[in-house]
Amino acid sequence: MVGKTNINAKIVWFAWWALATIVFALVIAIRIRLLGIPLERDEGEYAYSGQLMLQGIPPYKLAYNMKFPGTYAAYAAIMAIFGQTIAGIHLGLLLINAATIILIFFLGQRLFSLTGGVAAATTYAVLSLSQSVLGLAAHATQFVMLPVLGGTLLLLLNESDRRAFGRLFASGLLFGIGLLMKQPAVFFILFGAIFLLCNDIHRHSTLKKITLHISIFGAGAIVPFGLTCLILWRAGVFEKFWFWTINYAALYGAQVPLGAAPRIFAVMAGGVIGSGWTLWTLGGLGVVAGLWNKRAQGSAVFLLGLLAVSLLALSAGFYFREHYFIFILPAVSLLAGVTISTLSDLVDGRSNLVRFLPLLLFCVALSQPILAAREFYFDVSPREASRTSYGSNPFPESVRIAEYLRNHSSPSDTIAVLGSEPQIYFYSRRHSATGYIYTYGLMEAQSYARRMQEEMIREIELARPRYLVSVAIGASWYPRPESEQLIFTWANEYLNQNYSVVALVNIISADRTDYFFGDVPQKVQQLGNYILIYEKKS
């Protein structure tokens, strides 16, 4: 009887591993099929900045932005290995995502059980692929969670060996690397410190030990940022770095009023949760199951803490953009693992059919988000996938625009884009005539807006770029009624005096874009979102 029970248990374990293998293979196959999705704006920024780093040009010298430079460095490393291409960048994302899935498995295994670890890992694999979180784009949030989860795992491993100060320092180091990817990761560092404090208090550690442990962890977390500041200071760009990532970022993060936050969150969360509601339901049930199951209560409290700080990271600035929800996916996935682990414990030792019920339930939960998005995952082309995700934004068009610029200019020529399309710089492999690769800040109701417009104008006039790309698309500017209009008034006069129109890209609809390179008509029958390319007059 015991032998039969062991055989049945092995069959169940085999079924779980078979499910994990199938899901991971499917997710990887989908990502490989859609490797060629054109870069969107954030990806274009990271790729261009990473490209400059590979050329020996430090961040914030030729490209300004409010993000810390960790993701730029990550892109540079990926492109150094896989090439400066769309596919190369997305292949790097595939590996980052795979490594994150593996870490979630080990976290789930350590916190509750092997079954729960498999369930958590496969849940994350499916949720992080979702179009609702822009899972196929290599956003900074993807790069934050890998080192943060690595640091979290080291914290849990360190719990059993209080003398492992090196492991504690390494954990802090990983959390610090996460911070370099995106500023909201500071909340995860706070989580690590609170975990250490609570764990030491629970163990009745002395004040000296508590202080020592937190100091070692904190030192590790500070080192990456400190070294980055030193490197940027030596490169002569520290002042720009500080202005954009601290001064301006603080203003940017305070623009959305607190009263608007619940409404924005409800709208955005509804879309994210609705796309994979079965798995999110398992995550919600994990809170109840973890607190009810005495054996899992400690792990449940830990995960609730992780979820809380993940929500804080998500809520920074109250923008709640789709890819920000990647911050909370690990915690939700691990809570889903708690649900499946608890169910597996409840049916352990029962009949064969009953023992398979958690697996069958989980298969249904996994199938819902995949089947709901089956056309996107299995049918559409990379270009169509871009249109489905981003509407009429000129991301597919940027490839052809950049090809034209590259073919009609020399590597020493500069270009300027009036709009927020940094991917054009990356594709064309031409330097920007201005550090303002985004124009959103110029349109915001903030105290630096006029100064930014004046600086962008000065930089372009000084550089006299060979080509100037004017983007007449609202999503590339987001102008407001109160926006400063100086940049538009100047552009009209400057372009008319110094440049000639040589190309028109007219986005008529999701499946039709008209390209006029070198032979621009005086009139077009239908003008949609459009981009004009100007060449400097002789």
Side-chain angles (χ1 to χ4, degrees):
M1 186 68 180
V2 174
K4 185 177 181 180
T5 302
N6 289 336
I7 292 173
N8 291 335
K10 288 180 179 179
I11 293 173
V12 173
W13 286 122
F14 176 80
W16 276 105
W17 283 114
L19 174 65
T21 302
I22 292 169
V23 171
F24 295 154
L26 180 63
V27 167
I28 290 173
I30 292 170
R31 288 189 177 275
I32 290 175
R33 194 185 80 80
L34 295 173
L35 281 179
I37 290 182
L39 303 183
E40 46 93 89
R41 291 186 182 96
D42 282 3
E43 291 181 296
E45 170 206 339
Y46 302 138
Y48 176 54
S49 297
Q51 187 179 71
L52 292 176
M53 291 179 73
L54 291 175
Q55 296 170 8
I57 300 170
Y60 314 104
K61 184 174 183 178
L62 296 183
Y64 312 146
N65 200 262
M66 64 182 172
K67 304 180 186 82
F68 281 168
T71 305
Y72 305 155
Y75 263 68
I78 287 171
M79 291 188 295
I81 298 170
F82 300 113
Q84 298 179 36
T85 63
I86 295 172
I89 289 168
H90 290 155
L91 182 58
L93 171 63
L94 186 156
L95 296 178
I96 294 292
N97 181 257
T100 305
I101 291 168
I102 292 170
L103 285 176
I104 288 175
F105 165 74
F106 284 122
L107 280 167
Q109 182 186 31
R110 182 163 185 83
L111 286 170
F112 20 92
S113 68
L114 185 63
T115 303
V118 170
T122 48
T123 296
Y124 183 83
V126 173
L127 289 180
S128 63
L129 179 70
S130 175
Q131 183 186 3
S132 67
V133 295
L134 306 180
L136 292 170
H139 284 285
T141 44
Q142 305 267 14
F143 294 89
V144 168
M145 295 317 298
L146 178 62
V148 162
L149 291 173
T152 303
L153 182 60
L154 284 181
L155 278 182
L156 291 176
L157 294 174
N158 200 71
E159 189 179 8
S160 61
D161 184 358
R162 308 307 297 169
R163 297 170 295 177
F165 294 138
R167 191 182 295 162
L168 193 58
F169 180 82
S171 174
L173 200 65
L174 287 171
F175 277 96
I177 291 172
L179 175 63
L180 284 186
M181 302 297 170
K182 199 173 180 68
Q183 289 94 320
V186 69
F187 292 111
F188 293 107
I189 296 176
L190 180 64
F191 168 73
I194 292 174
F195 170 78
L196 283 174
L197 177 63
C198 293
N199 198 50
D200 278 345
I201 292 174
H202 179 70
R203 289 171 173 266
H204 305 290
S205 298
T206 63
L207 179 60
K208 182 179 179 180
K209 279 190 175 182
I210 293 174
T211 304
L212 178 62
H213 293 154
I214 293 180
S215 297
I216 293 172
F217 174 81
I222 291 171
V223 164
F225 182 75
L227 285 176
T228 297
C229 289
L230 179 61
I231 292 169
L232 295 176
W233 174 74
R234 290 292 301 273
V237 294
F238 181 79
E239 186 177 348
K240 283 285 187 183
F241 158 73
W242 194 263
F243 168 76
W244 282 98
T245 63
I246 303 299
N247 297 338
Y248 169 68
L251 283 179
Y252 177 82
Q255 289 188 41
V256 179
L258 178 61
R263 176 182 57 83
I264 299 172
F265 176 79
V267 172
M268 300 305 294
V272 172
I273 295 173
S275 65
W277 64 269
T278 50
L279 293 175
W280 284 85
T281 300
L282 288 181
L285 291 173
V287 177
V288 179
L291 296 177
W292 171 78
N293 185 350
K294 292 183 179 180
R295 194 164 68 92
Q297 282 178 354
S299 298
V301 172
F302 175 85
L303 291 179
L304 287 176
L306 178 61
L307 178 62
V309 297
S310 301
L311 286 168
L312 288 174
L314 163 68
S315 304
F318 304 132
Y319 288 96
F320 303 111
R321 295 196 171 94
E322 294 97 326
H323 53 284
Y324 291 6
F325 282 83
I326 290 173
F327 280 135
I328 66 173
L329 293 189
V332 171
S333 300
L334 287 164
L335 285 168
V338 173
T339 300
I340 297 301
S341 180
T342 302
L343 286 175
S344 297
D345 289 343
L346 288 174
V347 301
D348 189 35
R350 299 180 181 244
S351 66
N352 290 340
L353 180 61
V354 173
R355 293 176 70 174
F356 275 96
L357 282 179
L359 178 64
L360 295 174
L361 172 66
F362 189 59
C363 286
V364 172
L366 282 175
S367 299
Q368 181 269 323
I370 295 174
L371 292 175
R374 59 188 179 277
E375 182 178 356
F376 181 80
Y377 290 150
F378 304 113
D379 293 336
V380 301
S381 68
R383 184 188 184 281
E384 291 169 337
S386 178
R387 279 285 185 256
T388 302
S389 299
Y390 304 105
S392 59
N393 279 291
F395 303 149
E397 289 75 16
S398 293
V399 177
R400 289 193 60 180
I401 291 171
E403 182 181 358
Y404 174 84
L405 295 171
R406 188 171 60 251
N407 291 338
H408 292 81
S409 64
S410 66
S412 61
D413 288 327
T414 60
I415 63 174
V417 177
L418 292 179
S420 304
E421 309 300 338
Q423 66 277 4
I424 292 176
Y425 297 120
F426 169 70
Y427 293 140
S428 66
R429 304 200 178 201
R430 298 292 181 265
H431 288 176
S432 170
T434 173
Y436 287 89
I437 60 174
Y438 282 113
T439 52
Y440 296 130
L442 281 61
M443 299 289 99
E444 294 164 356
Q446 44 93 1
S447 57
Y448 295 118
R450 174 83 181 195
R451 166 185 151 184
M452 289 177 173
Q453 292 194 17
E454 291 173 346
E455 186 176 18
M456 183 177 184
I457 290 169
R458 284 196 304 271
E459 290 176 349
I460 292 175
E461 288 182 344
L462 182 63
R464 292 183 58 80
R466 173 75 180 275
Y467 287 95
L468 200 150
V469 181
S470 179
V471 185
I473 298 174
S476 196
W477 289 87
Y478 284 131
R480 302 159 171 78
E482 67 273 16
S483 294
E484 173 63 56
Q485 299 296 305
L486 173 64
I487 190 73
F488 300 122
T489 304
W490 165 83
N492 288 333
E493 296 177 358
Y494 185 73
L495 290 171
N496 287 333
Q497 292 175 7
N498 301 285
Y499 287 80
S500 301
V501 177
V502 294
L504 166 66
V505 176
N506 188 21
I507 305 173
I508 303 296
S509 63
D511 55 358
R512 178 186 167 188
T513 299
D514 293 337
Y515 296 89
F516 303 95
F517 291 121
D519 185 20
V520 181
Q522 293 296 316
K523 291 183 180 180
V524 293
Q525 282 188 333
Q526 183 181 356
L527 189 63
N529 289 324
Y530 66 94
I531 297 171
L532 288 170
I533 301 177
Y534 294 81
E535 184 178 14
K536 186 173 63 176
K537 294 177 181 178
S538 300

